[in-house]
Amino acid sequence: MRKIKNPWQSKPGYYCFGCSPDNPAGVKMEFYEDGDEVVCFWKPQAEYQGWINTLHGGIQATLMDECAAWVITRKLQTTGVTSKLEVKYKKPLMTTEPQLTIRARITEQKRNVVYLHVHIENSMGEICSEAEAIYFTAPQEKAREMGFEGCELEGDELFF
């Protein structure tokens, strides 16, 4: 498993709710490549709750959508937009959890349409929510015109 470099970090105006480390209201996700999957380890905070100590469903959807987007960025070396995100909430996720794990992978690709499976695990490894996502991807040339210069890995392999 290796950390994915954030290709947007030096772009003017970059303030993504999901992955910008500079957005004070954001969730500040970081990503790792683990074989065919992109993984994020994330610590929930009380400000993201819906019900008392329960992670808001919209935040869960955001975490899964963002992780899926990073699969497109890293694995396909392009950008894309979410066309559909179908979420299933299976078990409450608590904001008191020490860490959540979000995992995403491509399940199918038809030209510029990519299908992905994403899920969130609690700290005990139980899948608590999952989603099927559909993304429309930009051709690599178009992504480069929009300022995307590629998505690389950093550092040595990490073992968890």
Side-chain angles (χ1 to χ4, degrees), residues 5-79:
K5 287 183 184 178
N6 186 330
W8 315 113
Q9 191 65 45
S10 62
K11 302 290 181 200
Y14 168 65
Y15 214 55
C16 177
F17 180 78
C19 64
S20 172
D22 300 322
N23 184 336
V27 293
K28 299 174 177 57
M29 298 171 76
E30 294 183 336
F31 300 92
Y32 299 84
E33 183 176 66
D34 187 17
D36 291 338
E37 294 183 322
V38 167
V39 180
C40 173
F41 304 103
W42 188 76
K43 168 112 177 66
Q45 307 277 327
E47 61 264 27
Y48 299 122
Q49 68 179 294
W51 180 243
I52 298 168
N53 293 331
T54 305
L55 188 62
H56 192 283
I59 297 296
Q60 293 179 51
T62 298
L63 296 171
M64 289 187 281
D65 185 39
E66 188 71 17
C67 195
W70 276 72
V71 171
I72 302 300
T73 302
R74 173 64 192 148
K75 297 298 189 179
L76 301 180
Q77 292 294 309
T78 191
T79 61

Side-chain angles (χ1 to χ4, degrees), residues 8 14 30 34-35 38 68-69 71 81 88 91 95 106-107 122 131 147:
W8 315 113
Y14 168 65
E30 294 183 336
D34 187 17
V38 167
V71 171
V81 294
K88 293 179 186 172
K91 181 177 182 175
T95 56
I106 294 171
T107 57
N122 64 18

Side-chain angles (χ1 to χ4, degrees), residues 68-69 71-73 75-83 106 108-116 134-143 146:
V71 171
I72 302 300
T73 302
K75 297 298 189 179
L76 301 180
Q77 292 294 309
T78 191
T79 61
V81 294
T82 311
S83 170
I106 294 171
E108 187 177 356
Q109 182 175 359
K110 296 178 183 177
R111 292 187 183 169
N112 69 328
V113 179
V114 181
Y115 301 81
L116 303 104
I134 301 174
Y135 273 72
F136 286 122
T137 60
Q140 288 182 338
E141 311 81 53
K142 180 68 174 169
M146 296 167 32

Side-chain angles (χ1 to χ4, degrees), residues 128-158:
C128 296
S129 58
E130 60 186 348
E132 301 302 324
I134 301 174
Y135 273 72
F136 286 122
T137 60
Q140 288 182 338
E141 311 81 53
K142 180 68 174 169
R144 302 248 185 289
E145 287 173 19
M146 296 167 32
F148 177 72
E149 299 171 0
C151 182
E152 304 302 323
L153 299 173
E154 65 180 54
D156 296 327
E157 186 164 357
L158 305 171

